Amino acid sequence: CFKTTLPRSSLISGGSAAMALVKSKSARLRGGASQSSGKVIGMLGQAVENHVSSFDAFVDQGLEAIVQQINPIELERQDGSGSPIVVHLTELNLSSPMNKADSAIPAQQLQRKWLPKDCRLAHTTYGGTLSGKFVLRVGDEPRTMETTVDLGDIPVMVRSKRCNLHGLSPEQLVEAGEDETEA
């Protein structure tokens, strides 16, 4: 899919210019050395950049927009007595992927960051927990109670701001057991 014309002299002199050209094109396809900013460059990076940006916008602005569009609800008591309970969603948050199996003993609260590699090996989704903060009050009383509820896990896009690989250089990706061109 690439056509490159090399001067005959470069082929005769051991092909060093040809090798440099191949390495240069290979680096551009892999994303080059400028991955440390969190953005993937090159053909692969261009293919996913819009998707990653869209996911980041969802996390940064979309979750807040959802909160703003949901009106408080009133829950009537089953026996019909007293004031209704008003429930208001005030915040949504998506965490970075974490290994919840490590937190099986609640007192220890041991959790570690999941990497895409970990999820591939465990045959599980690379996802973070979506949690919502709710404010509850009875009728028109000024006193309120806050609670945070886990709403479930949703997939996290690799290289997004919530991805545990975000901002890593190619060397750091390899050190973490990931492919240096992870996109």
Side-chain angles (χ1 to χ4, degrees):
C1 67
F2 292 104
K3 182 177 180 187
T4 304
T5 306
L6 295 173
R8 184 171 169 81
S9 62
S10 68
L11 295 174
I12 295 172
S13 66
S16 59
M19 286 306 294
L21 183 63
V22 168
K23 287 180 182 178
S24 168
K25 284 189 178 187
S26 175
R28 281 198 308 267
L29 286 174
R30 287 193 324 260
S34 59
Q35 286 184 339
S36 61
S37 67
K39 290 201 176 216
V40 183
I41 309 298
M43 290 174 61
L44 182 59
Q46 291 171 359
V48 299
E49 186 174 359
N50 288 338
H51 300 287
V52 172
S53 296
S54 178
F55 185 85
D56 286 340
F58 165 71
V59 171
D60 292 342
Q61 293 105 29
L63 293 176
E64 180 60 30
I66 291 170
V67 169
Q68 298 303 320
Q69 292 179 17
I70 296 178
N71 295 323
I73 59 170
E74 290 187 4
L75 303 173
E76 297 293 330
R77 295 176 186 244
Q78 287 183 345
D79 62 5
S81 67
S83 299
I85 298 173
V86 179
V87 181
H88 186 136
L89 175 65
T90 60
E91 184 179 318
L92 286 172
N93 184 44
L94 177 63
S95 69
S96 295
M98 299 292 282
N99 182 350
K100 293 180 188 82
D102 287 347
S103 63
I105 303 170
Q108 292 182 351
Q109 290 298 311
L110 298 174
Q111 289 189 351
R112 68 174 185 83
K113 293 179 179 181
W114 273 100
L115 298 176
K117 167 195 71 158
D118 299 324
C119 293
R120 285 190 297 272
L121 293 172
H123 301 287
T124 189
T125 300
Y126 185 63
T129 301
L130 180 66
S131 60
K133 184 185 288 186
F134 294 88
V135 174
L136 303 120
R137 70 178 156 74
V138 177
D140 293 328
E141 290 185 26
R143 189 176 56 166
T144 62
M145 181 180 94
E146 284 188 6
T147 186
T148 300
V149 178
D150 286 349
L151 302 172
D153 290 349
I154 64 171
V156 168
M157 181 163 283
V158 174
R159 288 299 218 169
S160 69
K161 291 178 181 178
R162 288 295 186 264
C163 175
N164 292 318
L165 300 178
H166 180 74
L168 296 183
S169 69
E171 294 80 18
Q172 291 170 317
L173 289 171
V174 170
E175 189 176 304
E178 296 290 334
D179 187 289
E180 70 178 26
T181 63
E182 186 69 62

